[in-house]
Amino acid sequence: QRAVEMQDYVSILKIARHLFLRLPSLRVVNKPHYVADALMAMGSSLYELGDHHESSMHLEKALEVATKSRYEVVRRKAMVGLASAHMALGNYTSACPLWAEVLHFADHDSSARVQVYYAHCLLETGEYAAGAEHAHKGLELAEQLQDRQSAMRAHYVSGECHLKLNNPHLAMTQFEGYMKGGAVLKDSVAVANGRRLYEEAMRVQNTLQT
């Protein structure tokens, strides 16, 4: 418990591994639930420690065990964690269906973030119209929740989707929002990236007008 409170992921990983190795010899009720908990703890800790590949492997096993044993709490957590790990690895094709399912049970406070993550995966897999649609939904939710980080990311994803759809005017509007969001959050990288993308969209717009 103390390791969790201190966010000591190295210690959490060590404890979870020890428990996982001992479980086969323990006589406990609902053993699959303990297995899923241990795998979930290992996968989450590895993710926080930056080992996204190993994290994805443990989280996939946690999801499998939790699904088979009908351990809904861990099933949902593992799905979110696995989707995040796949995104971190650039495996957007694998992350996309996971985020789509997470949308069905995401609570209100995380709904904007999940919509935007899903939209980002759709963008990366070439589903630009759907990506723009979900980015718009994410932006609306982010504004309701005053979630500035998700709002900024929604502007970025929406702008990229509209640019791919050859709608430079709409893209410019979104990239402007992306820049403003970056300025509010004091994110100089987002501001610079937004300016570059805005200028790119403007060049496309000028080409279409000539």
Side-chain angles (χ1 to χ4, degrees), residues 47-130:
Y47 181 88
E48 295 296 340
L49 292 168
D51 192 342
H52 299 132
H53 177 68
E54 282 294 318
S55 170
S56 69
M57 293 175 66
H58 284 79
L59 291 168
E60 191 165 6
K61 290 177 183 175
L63 178 58
E64 181 182 346
V65 174
T67 300
K68 286 181 178 178
S69 61
R70 299 182 180 180
Y71 192 6
E72 189 63 13
V73 172
V74 169
R75 187 187 78 85
R76 292 182 176 191
K77 288 181 179 179
M79 193 171 292
V80 172
L82 184 56
S84 300
H86 279 312
M87 279 190 75
L89 291 165
N91 298 334
Y92 297 103
T93 302
S94 297
C96 231
L98 292 169
W99 285 126
E101 189 163 349
V102 172
L103 282 174
H104 296 302
F105 61 76
D107 60 37
H108 184 63
D109 290 345
S110 64
S111 57
R113 187 167 64 254
V114 174
Q115 283 282 1
V116 176
Y117 285 158
Y118 182 43
H120 193 168
C121 288
L122 290 167
L123 164 65
E124 296 293 344
T125 54
E127 300 288 339
Y128 306 127

